[in-house]
Amino acid sequence: MAVGPLHIETPLLLSDSLSQKWECPVYLKLENLQNSGTFKIRGIGHLCQKAIETGCERFVCSSGGNAGMAAALAARELKRDVTICVPETTPVLVREKLQSLGAEVIVHGSEWNGADALARKKAQEPGCQYIPPFDHPDIWHGHASMVHEIHRQLPPGQKPGLISVAVGGGGLLCGLMEGMHHPDIGWTDVPVVAVETKGADSFAAAVGKGEIVTLDAITRYPVAHFDMPFFVLFL
């Protein structure tokens, strides 16, 4: 059984092209190099490791793809069974990849909420643990490890002038804020720009109204799975 973290430390790369465009040093945190293809293995891996401490034998995760990939890889490393509930919008290629990792894949609902409802129901079975894709403090804590890495990787005494981060469910943003406010980091004065896909911009709508907002429908999806860095740092 794996003992340490299930994620790797990823490079912090200075981008020449973006630095020239913005006329300041711009760094990319290359989370696309994680075995899962995204940052999600940090938080979901951490949550899965905590779950087995309570006797969990099967993880049950709802996902559009990326969270399921992280849960499937965590289950394989931790030698546990895993069920991934995905909506009909999840590409067949992603479903097949999850199955190739040993996951039971159940397609349910026209969007994520339907798949999530089924996952929550199945997680009530004995020995099962519900693994949300983003909404759990242990997930945020795992994602916060990225900030600690960045702090070590930057030149001594240097901190970002701004951090830009992609937002879907908000788990990465929560982890980012947790890491930035850690006493060992102290980046509480660094501005954060949260970027959403238009047509799936529930966070922006919620901030605008000052309350939780549920969109009537998701009309557009992010570009692709497994191929994008998730941090841009302007120094």
Side-chain angles (χ1 to χ4, degrees), residues 43-207:
I44 289 178
H46 180 64
L47 176 58
C48 289
Q49 286 179 306
K50 298 281 285 186
I52 64 174
E53 294 176 1
T54 61
C56 170
E57 292 296 330
R58 176 179 289 272
F59 307 131
V60 183
C61 179
S62 61
S63 172
N66 287 338
M69 189 68 65
L73 284 166
R76 187 178 70 178
E77 291 298 313
L78 299 170
K79 297 180 173 55
R80 293 297 189 275
D81 296 324
V82 60
T83 297
I84 313 295
C85 298
V86 301
E88 296 165 1
T89 53
T90 298
V92 173
L93 178 65
V94 175
R95 302 178 202 173
E96 292 175 345
K97 178 62 175 178
L98 292 170
Q99 291 170 332
S100 75
L101 292 171
E104 175 191 28
V105 178
I106 300 175
V107 181
H108 183 80
S110 59
E111 37 72 45
W112 173 76
N113 284 333
D116 185 61
L118 178 62
R120 290 175 182 269
K121 181 178 180 180
K122 292 188 69 64
Q124 296 175 6
E125 298 174 5
C128 292
Q129 172 69 48
Y130 171 63
I131 305 295
F134 48 80
D135 192 14
H136 196 286
D138 286 334
I139 291 179
W140 309 336
H141 185 73
H143 293 339
S145 63
M146 203 182 310
V147 181
H148 291 266
E149 289 179 16
I150 294 170
H151 186 262
R152 293 195 303 269
Q153 292 168 328
L154 288 173
Q158 193 173 46
K159 67 178 180 181
L162 180 147
I163 297 179
S164 178
V165 60
V167 174
L172 176 57
L173 178 61
C174 288
L176 168 65
M177 301 307 296
E178 178 179 324
M180 292 173 65
H181 282 75
H182 191 281
D184 292 343
I185 307 298
W187 288 350
T188 57
D189 58 341
V190 175
V192 175
V193 175
V195 183
E196 285 186 294
T197 302
K198 188 174 182 179
D201 48 348
S202 57
F203 180 63
V207 171

